[in-house]
Amino acid sequence: MSPRASVSGVILLMCLGSLAAWQGAQGPPGNFTDVTAASGVHFQHVASHTSKKYLPESMGSGVALFDYDNDGRLDIFLVNGAPLSDPTPKGSIPQKAGPKDWNRLYHQKSDGSFEDVTEKAGLQGVGYGMGVAVGDYDNDGYEDLYVTAYGGNKLYRNNGNGTFTDITTKSGTGGSGWSTSAAWVDLDNDGLLDLVVLRYLHWDFDDIWCGEHKEGYRAYCHPDTFKAIPPLVYHNDGNGRFTELAQKMGLAAPGKGLGIAIADYDRDGRIDIFVANDSMPEFLYHNKGNGTFEEKGLLSQVAVDEDGRTYAGMGVAFDDFNNDGLPDLIVADLANQGYAVYQNEGDGSFNYTTRTSGIGQMTLLHSGWGVRLMDYDNDGWKDLLIAQGHVLDTIDLTSPQLHYRETMLLARNTGSGFVDISRQSGSPFQQAWAGRGLAAGDLDNDGRMDAVVTENGGPAHILRNETKTQNHWLTLSLVGHKSNRDAIGAVVKVVTPNLSQYATVTTAGSYLSSSDKRVHFGLGSAALAELIEVRWPSGIKQVLKEIHSDQILSVDEPLK
């Protein structure tokens, strides 16, 4: 994740491109407010920066938005780090020393504020926490939590009474090494959610000296210094136990995984997996339909950029941003690389459109982590929200044009490209943060997508969407019966007189984080959806007609 050489003329191009884009933009800018201070959420991420520059210090942690008690309101789970000593003894695993280092669960009350229920729920955590994945693995109607860490992962079963039970040992999902992002997905369509857990690289607390910048500032070691490592793939055996089957399922390619997302990119009815790797080729696993996968990153042209170069893949969004029915890819990376945008061509290949989409110019001097495609103004086009911040806390000293703390990015989707509307979209986009995790969801159920962002070594931020618009919306909460209860992997099509939109039901994506499983659609001026088509993971197809807008609609999978 080290920066590349600066690109000549980039500042001039960015200014001209931003001006032209803003002049050509249509529709309102966003209006987001940071409501954290009044919300009752008081969280401080423990990054434990040391002079040794231990790599976990730089990575931050994730956030989950999910309704753990089924009261219809999203709750917030925040992963925390742990203290590191300077120096840390060789081979030691950092542990949470006290309440200030705990992971945190915040329950949303009826008035929209939050209360800390961590201790009651039993979710304090262990190890140097990294990511979180939400999914109802036992189909009992209550969302369960998988928390990744350096120092051992944890699976917490939701008991349905406000508490969770650590079933890691019994379930066999503890893993080993340094785990990062994870995704719940039914890999073999047996109606049970399986678990894919990325691991970053082979690393320990040995004092590895990677040299100094010419200015004399020590930096974190580049990931090229370390060996790649395969992910962990846990098959759900249906009895509260899981079996690790990465090799058998064709998902065991050694990588340096930081971001994971799922979608059926070739619309063959089977869910596929994208893995964002750091400074090595990205992976696209194609589902062969027989319980195994085939890695096709290079063949599909998403492994590298248009010049054949690797980049620091971190967060990822795998969603249809141009409303053609085919999921596209956006991968956040490091400054001087430009975030990677891959447009799905519909023939199994993707076209690298970073420059032509407008994303290249607005991101070239920035570093992105958590990323979500979400329609902030409900006009029917998915917009782009990204948490930003450089990985090197010395970057301001060695590269003055780059910054460790950065403002967030909000890019409006015009239907023919993206334009940067960050500065016009509220005070949160004028604050410099060491942004890392990002999860999106409608926290107050008002039809406007909100977000929660984490900082490395800083507070969490709740961003409430207060954008003024007359546009309509529709949110669907799918309940599987033959399929997994969360309906993860279902593909939803919504048709209005003006356009068709598509979305995949998933909690995965972004960076280390887990978003609202409900699928949200902006309908523009349409007061109803003429047609809704749901293709459930089981293969069942369901059609709904003439559905009124401005509601959260529960949709049950038919039995046949």
Side-chain angles (χ1 to χ4, degrees):
M1 291 180 290
S2 62
R4 295 182 178 176
S6 298
V7 179
S8 63
V10 66
I11 297 178
L12 177 61
L13 286 174
M14 289 178 64
C15 291
L16 292 175
S18 177
L19 176 61
W22 173 244
Q23 290 174 340
Q26 298 179 4
N31 181 18
F32 286 80
T33 302
D34 189 337
V35 298
T36 314
S39 71
V41 172
H42 307 290
F43 175 82
Q44 182 76 20
H45 177 255
V46 177
S48 296
H49 294 289
T50 70
S51 64
K52 294 295 182 180
K53 298 293 184 184
Y54 295 125
L55 203 52
E57 302 171 9
S58 66
M59 306 305 290
S61 64
V63 52
L65 296 182
F66 73 122
D67 182 5
Y68 80 91
D69 59 347
N70 290 345
D71 64 357
R73 297 183 294 268
L74 291 177
D75 309 299
I76 302 173
F77 180 79
L78 291 155
V79 184
N80 211 344
L84 300 174
S85 60
D86 190 359
T88 294
K90 178 179 179 180
S92 68
I93 295 176
Q95 297 296 325
K96 298 185 187 302
K100 69 182 180 67
D101 311 311
W102 287 355
N103 303 328
R104 293 285 174 179
L105 176 64
Y106 292 95
H107 171 253
Q108 185 176 174
K109 298 187 290 185
S110 59
D111 63 359
S113 66
F114 292 83
E115 58 181 335
D116 188 337
V117 295
T118 308
E119 192 166 13
K120 175 185 176 182
L123 292 174
Q124 295 93 322
V126 297
Y128 198 100
M130 294 294 297
V132 55
V134 174
D136 182 4
Y137 79 87
D138 53 0
N139 290 333
D140 67 351
Y142 290 92
E143 298 299 310
D144 309 300
L145 281 177
Y146 189 76
V147 183
T148 67
Y150 180 91
N153 308 324
K154 292 291 182 181
L155 176 57
Y156 297 100
R157 182 182 183 273
N158 189 333
N159 298 319
N161 60 359
T163 68
F164 291 76
T165 299
D166 180 352
I167 63 163
T168 309
T169 301
K170 178 182 177 181
S171 65
T173 56
S176 61
W178 182 355
S179 297
T180 54
S181 293
W184 289 103
V185 55
D186 187 355
L187 297 172
D188 54 359
N189 278 345
D190 63 355
L192 298 170
L193 289 177
D194 309 301
L195 183 62
V196 182
V197 184
L198 301 187
R199 292 189 287 182
Y200 186 29
L201 36 73
H202 284 283
W203 185 90
D204 59 32
F205 281 97
D206 287 350
D207 187 14
I208 299 176
W209 181 256
C210 299
E212 295 179 341
H213 289 289
K214 61 182 179 181
E215 294 88 351
Y217 302 107
R218 186 172 184 181
Y220 298 101
C221 293
H222 192 282
D224 287 350
T225 307
F226 309 99
K227 293 181 180 179
I229 187 170
L232 299 166
V233 180
Y234 295 107
H235 177 266
N236 189 339
D237 298 332
N239 55 1
R241 299 180 184 276
F242 292 75
T243 302
E244 206 288 314
L245 296 177
Q247 190 71 41
K248 181 178 180 180
M249 301 189 82
L251 293 165
K256 297 179 181 179
L258 290 178
I260 185 170
I262 66 169
D264 177 8
Y265 77 90
D266 56 353
R267 290 297 188 240
D268 64 356
R270 301 185 291 266
I271 208 72
D272 309 299
I273 301 170
F274 181 86
V275 174
N277 285 315
D278 187 4
S279 300
M280 61 172 287
E282 317 300 299
F283 293 158
L284 179 59
Y285 285 105
H286 178 253
N287 191 332
K288 296 167 67 176
N290 60 358
T292 66
F293 291 75
E294 181 180 7
E295 205 287 298
K296 288 192 172 184
L298 284 172
L299 289 175
S300 62
Q301 301 177 57
V302 298
V304 293
D305 68 15
E306 65 179 348
D307 296 318
R309 298 174 300 185
T310 60
Y311 51 84
M314 295 186 285
V316 56
F318 201 176
D319 212 340
D320 178 16
F321 62 69
N322 58 354
N323 290 339
D324 65 353
L326 300 167
D328 311 294
L329 281 160
I330 298 179
V331 187
D333 54 29
L334 208 59
N336 293 329
Q337 297 177 339
Y339 304 164
V341 181
Y342 301 98
Q343 185 170 307
N344 194 330
E345 296 295 293
D347 59 359
S349 70
F350 291 74
N351 183 25
Y352 185 87
T353 60
T354 293
R355 291 188 175 90
T356 57
S357 66
I359 297 297
Q361 294 90 335
M362 71 179 75
T363 64
L364 197 51
L365 292 183
H366 299 282
S367 302
W369 301 77
V371 51
R372 292 293 300 185
L373 281 161
M374 67 179 209
D375 187 356
Y376 78 88
D377 59 352
N378 289 333
D379 67 348
W381 297 91
K382 297 178 184 68
D383 311 294
L384 186 61
L385 182 66
I386 303 183
Q388 301 186 129
H390 206 280
V391 68
L392 301 179
D393 56 3
T394 55
I395 196 65
D396 299 74
L397 302 172
T398 59
S399 301
Q401 78 277 20
L402 305 180
H403 302 287
Y404 176 63
R405 299 182 186 278
E406 300 186 47
T407 56
M408 291 187 62
L409 172 67
L410 179 62
R412 185 174 188 273
N413 187 346
T414 68
S416 58
F418 291 88
V419 295
D420 186 350
I421 60 168
S422 306
R423 290 186 178 274
Q424 297 82 19
S425 296
S427 59
F429 297 93
Q430 299 169 22
Q431 306 294 321
W433 302 333
R436 294 297 187 265
L438 185 158
D442 187 355
L443 283 166
D444 49 6
N445 291 331
D446 68 348
R448 292 175 292 190
M449 291 293 284
D450 310 297
V452 178
V453 179
T454 66
E455 283 196 66
N456 187 42
H461 300 274
I462 302 174
L463 308 185
R464 186 169 65 198
N465 185 351
E466 299 177 345
T467 303
K468 295 185 183 301
T469 175
Q470 299 300 313
N471 291 328
H472 297 285
W473 57 275
L474 183 64
T475 297
L476 302 177
S477 179
L478 273 61
V479 181
H481 295 287
K482 184 176 181 181
S483 304
N484 68 86
R485 187 176 176 85
D486 280 339
I488 287 176
V491 177
V492 183
K493 176 183 179 182
V494 171
V495 180
T496 62
N498 297 323
L499 52 84
S500 298
Q501 301 175 62
Y502 304 80
T504 302
V505 178
T506 179
T507 62
S510 191
Y511 170 74
L512 301 180
S513 298
S514 188
S515 291
D516 187 356
K517 69 176 182 178
R518 300 175 298 181
V519 286
H520 169 267
F521 296 91
L523 302 184
S525 61
L528 56 79
E530 296 178 333
L531 182 73
I532 298 175
E533 294 180 355
V534 181
R535 192 194 71 207
W536 296 85
S538 64
I540 293 173
K541 294 183 179 180
Q542 184 177 11
V543 176
L544 306 174
K545 295 182 179 180
E546 305 297 318
I547 302 299
H548 289 281
S549 65
D550 304 330
Q551 65 168 317
I552 299 172
L553 180 66
S554 181
V555 180
D556 279 85
E557 180 181 20
L559 297 180
K560 61 179 180 179

